[in-house]
């Protein structure tokens, strides 16, 4: 854990040093050392620092949400981006904009409501039709649901030019150009979700042993599932509201965290906290330099890197059940 935290600090520092603009790593490092440079001060503290903080929060939220979703679905391929949770949030925001809402005022709550509906729809289909017992079929059902929502979102953007102009860059996932006020707006949701995660971690670990064992220990499986769904909706909705839909982070982070922590969901959640920001910040740094002087959207880069991971997990000889 100490090594992961040290790596997170190092990546955060690199995120402050590297980016678009005329301020290179040398000038940025001199500024952090105490030099007076107004241009470097603006770029580092007004542009790169908020972006770094948002990357940390988004990474934590998506990593923990992915671990919770995989634990409650007992499926290592359950991921907010694959199962339609992020797509539900994006569709809800686009629909609200078409109906006249302002992206600046309604994005967070609307995105969380869309994430909640998407999460409930997919898990209900998985539970009622037995799809959740098969990891591949669950991913296919989620991919079909995500594709449907993405198509409807594209249709809305084609229909309403104002909505398309407001969320053109947001809908593909990016941390560029986000304001610190956006981050402050999601902090209450993050705090509520953190308290809920702390309360359900132990019952969720008991649920991993089976419903009868969990009931025998005094827990209520259905209540635990609904609380997990609410937590996932709060976390994914908040992350999507400030960064747009970013796929595969919720798949990769718990996968790496379990390599350190083992199958215990309580330890996995702790390890997701530094690993999620590490992956998001590293991807964001790469997105800034890979096509310089332009930037590649973060959502595009995570999709390019995450898809091979998904294929590798699916092609594993024995896909583990949680």
């Amino acid at each position: 854990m100490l090594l992961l935290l040290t790596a997170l600090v190092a990546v955060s520092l690199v995120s402050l040093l590297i980016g678009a603009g005329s301020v290179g790593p040398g000038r940025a490092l001199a500024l952090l050392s105490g030099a007076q440079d107004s241009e470097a001060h603006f770029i580092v503290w007004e542009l790169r620092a908020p972006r770094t903080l948002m990357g940390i929060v988004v990474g934590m939220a998506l990593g923990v949400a992915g671990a919770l979703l995989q634990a409650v679905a007992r499926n290592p391929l359950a991921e907010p981006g694959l199962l339609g949770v992020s797509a539900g949030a994006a569709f809800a925001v686009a629909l609200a904009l078409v109906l006249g809402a302002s992206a600046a005022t309604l994005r967070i709550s609307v995105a969380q409501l869309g994430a909640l509906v998407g999460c409930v729809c997919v898990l209900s289909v998985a539970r009622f039709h037995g799809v959740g017992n098969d990891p591949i079929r669950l991913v296919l059902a989620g991919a079909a649901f995500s594709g449907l929502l993405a198509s409807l979102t594209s249709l809305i953007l084609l229909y309403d030019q104002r909505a398309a102009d407001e969320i053109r860059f947001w809908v593909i996932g990016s941390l560029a150009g986000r304001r610190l006020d956006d981050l402050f707006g999601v902090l209450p949701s993050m705090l509520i979700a953190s308290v809920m995660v702390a309360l359900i971690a132990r019952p969720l670990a008991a649920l991993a042993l089976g419903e009868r064992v969990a009931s025998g220990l005094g827990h209520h499986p259905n209540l635990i599932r609904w609380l997990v769904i609410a937590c996932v909706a709060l976390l994914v909705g908040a992350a999507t509201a400030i960064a747009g839909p970013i796929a595969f982070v919720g798949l990769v982070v718990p996968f790496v965290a379990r390599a350190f922590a083992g199958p215990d969901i309580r330890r996995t959640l702790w390890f997701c906290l530094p690993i999620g920001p590490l992956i998001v910040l590293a991807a964001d740094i790469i997105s800034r330099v890979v096509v310089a002087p332009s930037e590649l959207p973060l959502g595009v880069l995570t999709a390019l890197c995450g898809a091979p991971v998904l294929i590798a997990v699916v092609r594993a000889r024995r896909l583990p059940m949680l």
Side-chain angles (χ1 to χ4, degrees):
M1 179 63 80
L2 182 60
L3 181 62
L4 291 172
L5 292 175
T6 304
L8 177 58
V9 172
V11 172
S12 301
L13 179 61
V14 173
S15 179
L16 293 176
L17 299 180
I18 297 177
S22 58
V23 177
R27 286 179 66 185
L29 188 60
L31 176 75
L32 296 178
S33 302
Q36 299 296 319
D37 188 333
S38 57
E39 183 185 16
H41 184 278
F42 173 77
I43 291 180
V44 171
W45 294 119
E46 300 295 330
L47 299 180
R48 295 178 187 172
R51 185 170 179 164
T52 302
L53 291 175
M54 286 190 187
I56 293 173
V57 172
V58 168
M60 287 181 177
L62 293 179
V64 170
L68 290 174
L69 201 54
Q70 291 177 11
V72 76
R74 306 192 67 178
N75 188 324
L77 297 182
E79 197 266 335
L82 288 176
L83 298 190
V85 183
S86 300
F91 173 72
V93 171
L95 186 62
L97 290 175
V98 170
L99 296 176
S102 167
T105 57
L106 287 180
R107 185 180 293 171
I108 297 172
S109 58
V110 171
Q112 289 172 335
L113 179 61
L116 177 63
V117 173
C119 192
V120 170
C121 287
V122 173
L123 290 183
S124 297
V125 170
R127 185 169 178 78
F128 290 141
H129 296 278
V131 177
N133 296 328
D134 187 335
I136 307 301
R137 293 177 66 191
L138 177 62
V139 169
L140 291 177
F145 186 64
S146 295
L148 173 63
L149 291 176
S151 299
L152 292 175
T153 302
S154 299
L155 188 63
I156 289 175
L157 297 182
L158 289 174
Y159 172 77
D160 191 307
Q161 188 60 44
R162 183 185 69 88
D165 291 340
E166 286 203 50
I167 63 171
R168 179 177 298 148
F169 295 101
W170 173 84
V171 78
I172 55 177
S174 175
L175 294 174
R178 302 296 191 260
R179 300 172 305 170
L180 205 55
D181 291 344
D182 296 333
L183 180 60
F184 293 148
V186 303
L187 289 183
S189 299
M190 296 292 187
L191 181 60
I192 294 173
S194 301
V195 174
M196 292 175 66
V197 170
L199 293 176
I200 64 176
R202 186 174 180 182
L204 192 58
L207 187 61
L209 302 175
E211 291 194 12
R212 290 185 178 180
V213 175
S215 299
L217 293 174
H219 303 302
H220 303 281
N222 287 330
L223 177 62
I224 296 170
R225 291 192 184 92
W226 280 109
L227 290 175
V228 169
I229 290 173
C231 280
V232 171
L234 286 174
L235 293 170
V236 176
T240 305
I242 60 176
I246 299 176
F248 294 110
V249 174
L251 170 71
V252 175
V253 172
F255 190 76
V256 177
R258 280 194 293 273
F260 288 96
D264 190 330
I265 182 62
R266 291 166 293 188
R267 286 174 51 82
T268 299
L269 289 172
W270 277 112
F271 276 87
C272 285
L273 293 177
I275 294 174
L278 261 176
I279 291 178
V280 170
L281 286 180
D284 187 47
I285 292 170
I286 295 173
S287 72
R288 303 179 203 177
V289 300
V290 70
V291 291
S294 300
E295 290 191 14
L296 191 67
L298 176 60
V300 174
L301 188 66
T302 59
L304 289 174
C305 298
V309 175
L310 173 63
I311 294 172
V313 174
V314 171
R315 287 178 60 86
R317 185 167 297 180
R318 294 183 61 186
L319 193 64
M321 295 294 294
L322 298 178

